[in-house]
Amino acid sequence: MNETIKRMDPGAEYYFPENCHIIETSNSPDDPGLSISRARVAPGATTRWHRLAGTTERYVILAGKGRVEVGKLPPQDVIGGDVVIVPPACRQRITNTGEEDLIFLALCTPRFRPEVYEDMTDSPGSGQGAATPPFKELTA
């Protein structure tokens, strides 16, 4: 790993079927311990139930307000400055309850790879959703 400054490119934002927009700010085999992406959820939108195998995810809420559902916890309201910790293989989704975009950083350890993503929307109670990664494959 070398010293690097990575600049966020707003034009690199893409939509994927989890029902939010993503900008991958840092996700590289050269830095396998951590990935960082910026997520944007539109007002009224809810992301799909999903989980990550072998990967801990943290949401750092930057702007907006929402309601997060994680594992067996009751739904919790979140605002800027809150941090949500999602252990590996834990069901999760978030809803934008505000009138403006909900913006948060998603920090994954180890770094996010598409094969760890499991969509659980079709079977929310069973935990047996089909693995259907909607993420772009990252090569850099």
Side-chain angles (χ1 to χ4, degrees):
M1 179 182 335
N2 294 315
E3 301 89 348
T4 305
I5 297 174
K6 295 185 176 197
R7 307 223 183 259
M8 186 174 74
D9 175 7
E13 182 181 75
Y14 63 94
Y15 176 83
F16 60 89
E18 189 181 317
N19 203 23
C20 65
H21 294 82
I22 294 290
I23 299 174
E24 291 285 348
T25 56
S26 181
N27 188 349
S28 169
D30 294 338
D31 185 10
L34 171 71
S35 64
I36 305 168
S37 34
R38 193 210 67 175
R40 180 173 63 84
V41 180
T46 299
T47 62
R48 295 173 64 88
W49 279 113
H50 66 284
R51 64 184 176 186
L52 303 181
T55 302
T56 300
E57 186 170 18
R58 295 149 192 92
Y59 297 169
V60 180
I61 309 300
L62 299 177
K65 58 184 180 177
R67 176 163 292 145
V68 68
E69 297 170 84
V70 176
K72 296 179 182 176
L73 291 176
Q76 301 284 317
D77 291 333
V78 291
I79 59 172
D82 290 344
V83 176
V84 178
I85 300 172
V86 185
C90 185
R91 269 174 28 113
Q92 58 180 296
R93 72 177 178 179
I94 192 165
T95 300
N96 182 342
T97 59
E99 296 181 13
E100 298 185 16
D101 287 340
L102 173 63
I103 308 286
F104 59 95
L105 296 178
L107 293 87
C108 292
T109 54
R111 79 178 183 97
F112 177 82
R113 293 173 297 114
E115 60 269 19
V116 304
Y117 182 88
E118 183 179 359
D119 185 312
M120 302 178 69
T121 299
D122 293 333
S123 54
S126 71
Q128 301 298 316
T132 54
F135 297 91
K136 288 182 8 181
E137 180 64 42
L138 301 171
T139 57

